[in-house]
Amino acid sequence: MKNINTYLANILEVPVENVSACSLHYEVKKVAKNDFLLRYGEVCRYNFFVEKGLLKMYSIDKNGKEHIIQFAPESWLISDRSSLYFNEKSVYYIEAVEDSEVLLLQPDFFKKLVEQFPNIAPKNDILLQKHVRSLQNRINSLLGETAEERYLSFIKMYPDLLLRVPQWMIASYLGITPESLSRVRKELAKKNFVTNK
């Protein structure tokens, strides 16, 4: 479990000698491409850590259109927090975009870690605040940025996903049509061509 061990040791700063013992607190699940970890109407029971592969979380509107809220590549966490922590039925789906290996973390996984290793509490708090900041930035981006600005933000957030997901998924995440995304990419290609001449 290379990625979770790196995350615990380098990001949360769990003492290296204790990292392997943390495996007692999670379950490993292999998920095939297009399989679901969560469906609309279910209660989310875990935080999902992506050891290998790629997940997406999305909702479907009344017209049947998919709206991608988040992608989760390797070493990312994903869950429906409202459902997980408030026992609400989820309005989202979490689905594997690729064959994936996912760690199922109990809702109190990080709380238990902090109890065992109090020194990681500030790091854990910072990670939570960064997550909230990221969500706020995403809302602001959808409300106020141009399609081009949103696309550039996507590349910054998910630099390795351009070749891993189809254009329509990126367009869904950006809140634009695939046709608009094609136009944005063409315009950026033109600008880069002129800049690099």
Side-chain angles (χ1 to χ4, degrees), residues 52-71:
K52 189 175 121 189
L54 177 65
L55 308 179
K56 65 174 178 173
M57 182 164 85
Y58 61 93
S59 61
I60 296 177
D61 67 22
K62 60 179 184 284
N63 299 314
K65 187 178 177 186
E66 184 174 306
H67 300 278
I68 295 177
I69 309 299
Q70 184 189 344
F71 289 104

Side-chain angles (χ1 to χ4, degrees), residues 7-19:
Y7 181 87
L8 293 171
N10 296 351
I11 308 296
L12 277 181
E13 297 181 357
V14 171
V16 176
E17 63 273 17
N18 298 110
V19 163

Side-chain angles (χ1 to χ4, degrees), residues 3 22 25 33 49 64 69 81 96 107 126-127 131 161 195 197:
N3 286 323
C22 296
H25 303 297
K33 181 180 178 178
F49 180 92
I69 309 299
R81 299 180 77 84
I126 286 168
L127 287 173
H131 176 67
L161 290 198
T195 307
K197 263 181 145 183

Side-chain angles (χ1 to χ4, degrees), residues 138-188:
R138 175 135 166 72
I139 293 166
N140 191 49
S141 169
L142 287 169
L143 292 174
E145 288 184 348
T146 65
E148 183 178 304
E149 287 168 334
R150 275 181 254 169
Y151 181 63
L152 292 171
S153 295
F154 173 85
I155 293 170
K156 194 174 174 185
M157 172 93 64
Y158 300 111
D160 70 330
L161 290 198
L162 291 178
L163 300 174
R164 293 174 68 179
V165 298
Q167 273 214 74
W168 72 264
M169 282 190 194
I170 297 173
S172 170
Y173 176 87
L174 298 176
I176 60 177
T177 64
E179 294 75 22
S180 294
L181 178 56
S182 289
R183 280 196 296 275
V184 166
R185 288 166 66 120
K186 278 177 192 163
E187 287 299 315
L188 283 169

Side-chain angles (χ1 to χ4, degrees), residues 78-145:
I78 190 168
S79 71
D80 177 356
R81 299 180 77 84
S82 293
S83 180
L84 184 65
Y85 292 102
F86 300 105
N87 205 39
E88 298 170 356
K89 288 183 179 178
S90 183
V91 298
Y92 299 111
Y93 298 84
I94 297 178
E95 181 183 347
V97 180
E98 301 170 350
D99 289 344
S100 302
E101 193 170 87
V102 180
L103 309 186
L104 311 182
L105 311 183
Q106 295 286 346
D108 63 352
F109 177 79
F110 293 102
K111 185 183 171 197
K112 280 182 178 171
L113 279 186
V114 168
E115 285 170 1
Q116 197 171 350
F117 312 109
N119 62 299
I120 73 165
K123 282 278 180 187
N124 191 49
D125 189 53
I126 286 168
L127 287 173
L128 181 59
Q129 301 312 325
K130 281 184 175 177
H131 176 67
V132 173
R133 180 182 66 182
S134 175
L135 291 176
Q136 288 176 331
N137 289 343
R138 175 135 166 72
I139 293 166
N140 191 49
S141 169
L142 287 169
L143 292 174
E145 288 184 348

